[in-house]
Amino acid sequence: MPVHVITHPIVQDALATLRRTATDAAEFRRHAGRLTTALAVEATRTLPTRDATVDTPLGQAPAQLVDGEIVVVPVLRAGLSMLDAILDLLPSARVGYIGLQRDEQTAVASTYYSKLPEQIAGARVLLVDPMLATGGSAVAALDLLSDAGVRDTQVLCIVATVEGIATVEAAHPQAAIYTASVDPTLNGQKFIVPGLGDFGDRLYGTD
Ligand code: PRP
Ligand code: URA
């Protein structure tokens, strides 16, 4: 399974801000958006294009326009932090939502909401969730997309783990992953170490 770790200095600088305990919610949101923009640019490098011609003030120029159906699917809640940055790049993309919640004791994810666009099967889907920890949430979301007929999925996350990637690969080997970091371990509560803590809580000021 392709795993793309984006080592661009701007991505790594934004990741450092997200990891830092002292970063407040406003800065956290801003840097999550900046980092997502760079991840999305990489993940969309292979989008199909169609040839066109555009009128410039001085003549005509050959052009390439983004083509094909794109659906962005944030995993609630934390995936919402990545949505606007992607829609800025792909304003005509459609959006689906998947709501998943990890049990605090077992860390097993359960689905509480799913709303996917009609006729999603032929689309390229960008599944966005900032934390890929055990991989259980990503597999649950990919299962839902697969059941809807989706065959072309890219997973965008801010921090992944070795274990989470292996879990996703075993269940959905065709899904490509784009991330800013592959962290080494999980702690006893299945939080990523060193990670950045609870993404949703830092984003929304809950705990
Ligand atoms: C977090 C995160 C992922 C999931 C990753 O969500 O946003 O969805 O955990 O963990 P996993 O890989 O072990 O499944 P959480 O369940 O805390 O919900 P939230 O986004 O509402 O805070
Ligand atoms: N979810 C988070 O928000 N952080 C982790 O480290 C693991 C799951």
Side-chain angles (χ1 to χ4, degrees), residues 31-114:
H31 284 82
R34 291 177 66 220
L35 195 158
T36 300
T37 299
L39 278 186
V41 166
E42 283 301 321
T44 52
R45 192 179 281 280
T46 59
L47 278 184
T49 57
R50 65 186 153 85
D51 293 333
T53 304
V54 294
D55 295 327
T56 81
L58 297 180
Q60 289 197 315
Q64 291 189 318
L65 306 179
V66 171
D67 202 15
E69 179 72 21
I70 302 161
V71 176
V72 187
V73 179
V75 174
L76 308 177
R77 296 175 297 171
L80 288 178
S81 65
M82 303 172 74
L83 178 62
D84 286 351
I86 298 176
L87 291 179
D88 273 351
L89 298 174
L90 299 166
S92 57
R94 293 188 294 160
V95 180
Y97 294 91
I98 294 176
L100 294 170
Q101 179 74 57
R102 287 201 328 174
D103 182 283
E104 286 191 5
Q105 308 305 323
T106 64
V108 174
S110 56
T111 308
Y112 61 84
Y113 186 72
S114 176

Side-chain angles (χ1 to χ4, degrees), residues 75-79 100-103 107 109 112 129-138 190 198-201:
V75 174
L76 308 177
R77 296 175 297 171
L100 294 170
Q101 179 74 57
R102 287 201 328 174
D103 182 283
Y112 61 84
D129 188 346
M131 306 304 274
L132 180 66
T134 66
S137 300
K190 304 294 184 189
D198 188 307
F199 198 101
D201 285 350

